[in-house]
Amino acid sequence: MVKIGNITLGNFPLLLAPMEDVSDPPFRAVCKDNGADLMYTEFISSEGLIRDAIKSRQKLDIFEYERPVGIQIFGGDEEPMAMAAQIVETTNPDLLDINYGCPVKKVVCKGAGSGILKDIPKMVKLTEAVVKATRLPVTVKTRLGWDDNTKNIEEVAERLQDVGIKALTIHGRTRTQMYKGNADWSLIAKVKNNPRIHIPIFGNGDICTPEQAVAARQKYGVDGIMIGRAAIGYPWIFNEIKHFMQTGEHLPLPTVLERVEVCKKHLRHSVAWKGDVVGILEMRRHYTNYLKGLPHIKEFRQQLVTCSTLASVEEILDKVAEHYKDHIIERVSPLADNSLPVNNEVADCNVYG
């Protein structure tokens, strides 16, 4: 059984990645319903928490039905990160995660995210400061290194374990790769097979089918995998992987009606958490992915993104369900043509790909 501190996650847990502008409570709710074992909030600025910024504080919202759930923070200085850890602890999550993977300039230039991969001693000191500041289990998400010449993830794993982290998630790319090229899982496997490593090692990058998940487990030996964009508009990916691992067979694909019903549940959570105006507005980014694979869907989608009330959106979604009730969507990679419009300056930051 995989454990993070006192948190038991099962034999091969599936983690939902922290994605900026995506992994909010409404999205996490539908992923939890569909088999996610451990979920994370959107990443939160340590400086924002200390300044009591409204957006940063709102990201601390977690609900009992989500557990176990972790809150992820980022920053480049010890004191603000330690203070942020103490603030996070007051909201009673199950664990605290540190983001050392975000590759975008506005984060990296502050020595945060994957920017800290240029200074491993600082990374270790910052991590130690966070571990000492909280009673929560502390985990880390990072990349293989800054570039091809500094793939130092084995050293990083040992040193972070030595200062007290309880699990490590590794995105199989360097910072300079951003989200391009293929993730290199061979280095993730080296960390997992290092006899000095005794904490759980989770792999991240390019997992979008049950077959790929099985291959990651069998070939690279990781303790679990983290899934990001493959779950956007397709939260069924978690249960599909679990079923395939247990039986070697695929679950039936969700019907159009099932897609619409989960989309409506996501929408209702969004409105309940954010209010009518913001909840409906921010939900618009998800319709394309929920309805992917439906022919001639453009007209319905255009109606959905212009509706301004919950009732009107649900009415259009019901029309979609009726119009396509006999249509069978073919099985394709959930990552194919992923068109979720996100803010690329902060989006996921450390999970996309």
Side-chain angles (χ1 to χ4, degrees):
M1 299 292 283
V2 177
K3 297 184 69 174
I4 300 177
N6 293 323
I7 306 166
T8 300
L9 296 174
N11 291 323
F12 191 78
L14 305 180
L15 286 56
L16 173 65
M19 295 177 281
E20 179 69 7
D21 291 333
V22 178
S23 298
D24 57 14
F27 179 69
R28 299 198 303 266
V30 296
C31 289
K32 184 68 174 183
D33 285 346
N34 287 278
D37 294 305
L38 172 63
M39 304 186 294
Y40 294 87
T41 63
E42 303 168 77
F43 78 153
I44 306 173
S45 164
S46 57
E47 298 283 353
L49 281 181
I50 294 169
R51 292 195 311 270
D52 205 26
I54 294 175
K55 186 174 182 180
S56 294
R57 287 281 179 167
Q58 187 182 37
K59 290 179 181 179
L60 291 174
D61 287 355
I62 55 175
F63 299 89
E64 285 302 311
Y65 61 76
E66 299 183 87
R67 296 190 185 278
V69 61
I71 291 176
Q72 189 188 71
I73 61 175
F74 76 96
D77 296 303
E78 291 179 38
E79 185 175 356
M81 285 288 280
M83 292 175 65
Q86 293 170 347
I87 294 170
V88 165
E89 186 175 309
T90 65
T91 65
N92 196 33
D94 296 285
L95 59 86
L96 184 153
D97 190 72
I98 305 175
N99 179 317
Y100 290 144
C102 176
V104 299
K105 288 183 180 179
K106 68 186 300 180
V107 173
V108 169
C109 70
K110 298 178 180 179
S114 59
I116 206 166
L117 290 169
K118 287 184 172 182
D119 190 345
I120 302 307
K122 180 180 178 182
M123 183 186 199
V124 174
K125 289 182 179 179
L126 196 156
T127 305
E128 186 174 21
V130 172
V131 170
K132 290 180 176 179
T134 179
R135 292 170 294 178
L136 294 169
V138 175
T139 63
V140 164
K141 182 152 193 294
T142 190
R143 290 179 170 239
L144 301 178
W146 177 260
D147 57 25
D148 285 342
N149 297 318
T150 56
K151 291 182 178 179
N152 45 21
I153 188 61
E154 292 180 82
E155 174 194 355
V156 165
E158 289 187 5
R159 296 184 67 177
L160 296 187
Q161 177 182 263
D162 289 346
V163 296
I165 71 166
K166 301 302 182 183
L168 177 66
T169 300
I170 305 169
H171 180 107
R173 290 181 174 87
T174 64
R175 188 274 170 178
T176 55
Q177 280 184 273
M178 301 294 283
Y179 305 106
K180 298 177 182 178
N182 296 321
D184 180 1
W185 281 68
S186 64
L187 288 179
I188 301 176
K190 283 188 177 181
V191 174
K192 173 57 190 173
N193 295 321
N194 181 342
R196 274 210 63 210
I197 296 296
H198 55 78
I199 59 174
I201 302 297
F202 303 115
N204 172 231
D206 298 342
I207 300 295
C208 58
T209 67
E211 289 86 351
Q212 289 172 325
V214 169
R217 183 181 192 180
Q218 294 179 347
K219 185 174 181 179
Y220 303 108
V222 291
D223 294 294
I225 56 176
M226 179 178 280
I227 297 172
R229 57 180 170 170
I232 300 173
Y234 201 81
W236 300 272
I237 185 66
F238 299 100
N239 276 337
E240 286 186 356
I241 289 173
K242 289 180 176 180
H243 184 80
F244 189 79
M245 284 185 167
Q246 292 171 358
T247 68
E249 299 177 352
H250 286 282
L251 278 173
L253 293 174
T255 64
V256 175
L257 178 60
E258 288 171 332
R259 287 172 180 257
V260 166
E261 288 304 311
V262 171
C263 182
K264 287 166 67 174
K265 183 171 185 177
H266 189 167
L267 170 66
R268 291 167 190 155
H269 275 290
S270 184
V271 169
W273 186 57
K274 303 174 185 178
D276 289 347
V277 175
V278 177
I280 290 171
L281 181 65
E282 294 192 356
M283 187 63 193
R284 291 174 180 174
R285 63 168 64 100
H286 291 280
Y287 297 133
T288 294
N289 293 282
Y290 275 114
L291 305 178
K292 186 183 299 179
L294 295 177
H296 313 297
I297 194 65
K298 184 176 180 180
E299 182 179 344
F300 284 114
R301 191 169 64 235
Q302 186 61 35
Q303 294 177 48
L304 286 169
V305 300
T306 55
C307 290
S308 57
T309 67
L310 176 61
S312 61
V313 175
E314 291 193 329
E315 182 181 354
I316 300 303
L317 287 171
D318 288 339
K319 289 180 179 179
V320 170
E322 176 62 26
H323 184 82
Y324 292 98
K325 62 183 179 182
D326 297 322
H327 182 82
I328 299 175
I329 301 177
E330 296 181 3
R331 186 179 298 277
V332 296
S333 165
L335 298 191
D337 189 34
N338 188 298
S339 53
L340 178 72
V342 294
N343 179 353
N344 288 325
E345 279 301 303
V346 292
D348 159 61
C349 278
N350 66 333
V351 302
Y352 271 85

